[in-house]
Amino acid sequence: MANTNAPFGFSQYKGTGSAPTYEQVTGLINYNTANIFFGDPIAHLSDGSVAGITTSALPGTVPLAGIFVGCKYLSVSQKRTVWSNYWPGSDMASGNFAEAYIVNDPNAQFIVQSSGGSGITQAMVGQNIQFAYGTGNTSSGLSGAYVDAATADRTVTTLPFKIVSLVTPVGSSSPTTGQYNTVVVAFNNVETKVTTAAP
């Protein structure tokens, strides 16, 4: 059966601590920052707040701040504090900051979908890889991020993630293969762990 093209961002699989928090940390989101979805990779801006990687800081050129997993903010429309699994990109008074929840554990591992083409193969395990954002879902708040199989490389050390393994579905004896298969990745270039040498 063919894999479905339905990216869901970076879903935590392992890490220090225990579910559901895995020792996540907090950061700040500026009131006018574009929306950020649950499972999106994020980076620090010059003012210390976090956001999705912008075109001025392409993925792989700066260390990640981590993976976004929700936020808390004072909603202008609802007149109350809101806990949300995604930042909607507005609904907060000018000059204010939302509190972001971030996974930046250097030992964290995530399940993520691969891009089209031939997908990620067993021979690519151990290689570094780039991601793309895709389209986030404003109904569920889930990210549309995925890893780009065409970028997998052992020598490009600035790429943000490293392929750990292919995912074997429950009830199956073999991992998913082909385009849009799912894989386990770990941080390669995050503020808490920056790799400077090829594997």
Side-chain angles (χ1 to χ4, degrees):
M1 183 172 141
N3 301 315
T4 302
N5 181 15
F8 48 85
F10 291 79
S11 177
Q12 186 149 16
Y13 174 64
K14 288 184 179 179
T16 305
S18 57
T21 62
Y22 292 105
E23 297 188 6
Q24 61 195 226
V25 299
T26 59
L28 297 177
I29 304 169
N30 204 316
Y31 77 98
N32 60 356
T33 298
N35 51 14
I36 310 173
F37 294 91
F38 185 97
D40 271 354
I42 54 175
H44 277 108
L45 302 179
S46 59
D47 66 357
S49 66
V50 296
I53 310 294
T54 64
T55 54
S56 61
L58 294 172
T61 61
V62 296
L64 297 175
I67 301 296
F68 179 81
V69 290
C71 62
K72 177 181 77 172
Y73 62 95
L74 182 59
S75 166
V76 170
S77 64
Q78 299 182 53
K79 307 294 189 290
R80 65 181 179 88
T81 299
V82 171
W83 284 264
S84 176
N85 69 334
Y86 88 110
W87 165 243
S90 60
D91 197 25
M92 192 165 54
S94 174
N96 288 346
F97 290 88
E99 182 176 75
Y101 305 120
I102 305 164
V103 175
N104 68 351
D105 173 12
N107 299 312
Q109 294 182 8
F110 304 89
I111 295 176
V112 63
Q113 188 171 61
S114 73
S115 59
S118 58
I120 294 174
T121 66
Q122 183 64 35
M124 296 160 76
V125 169
Q127 295 184 13
N128 301 328
I129 194 165
Q130 184 60 275
F131 74 92
Y133 279 108
T135 303
N137 186 322
T138 56
S139 295
S140 67
L142 293 181
S143 170
Y146 57 92
V147 288
D148 184 356
T151 65
D153 194 290
R154 290 191 185 278
T155 61
V156 182
T157 59
T158 58
L159 293 174
F161 295 98
K162 183 180 295 292
I163 302 166
V164 174
S165 67
L166 306 184
V167 171
T168 300
V170 174
S172 175
S173 59
S174 58
T176 57
T177 58
Q179 65 178 348
Y180 312 128
N181 65 331
T182 50
V183 295
V184 176
V185 298
F187 285 126
N188 182 62
N189 194 10
V190 66
E191 290 173 351
T192 52
K193 179 181 81 173
V194 177
T195 302
T196 58

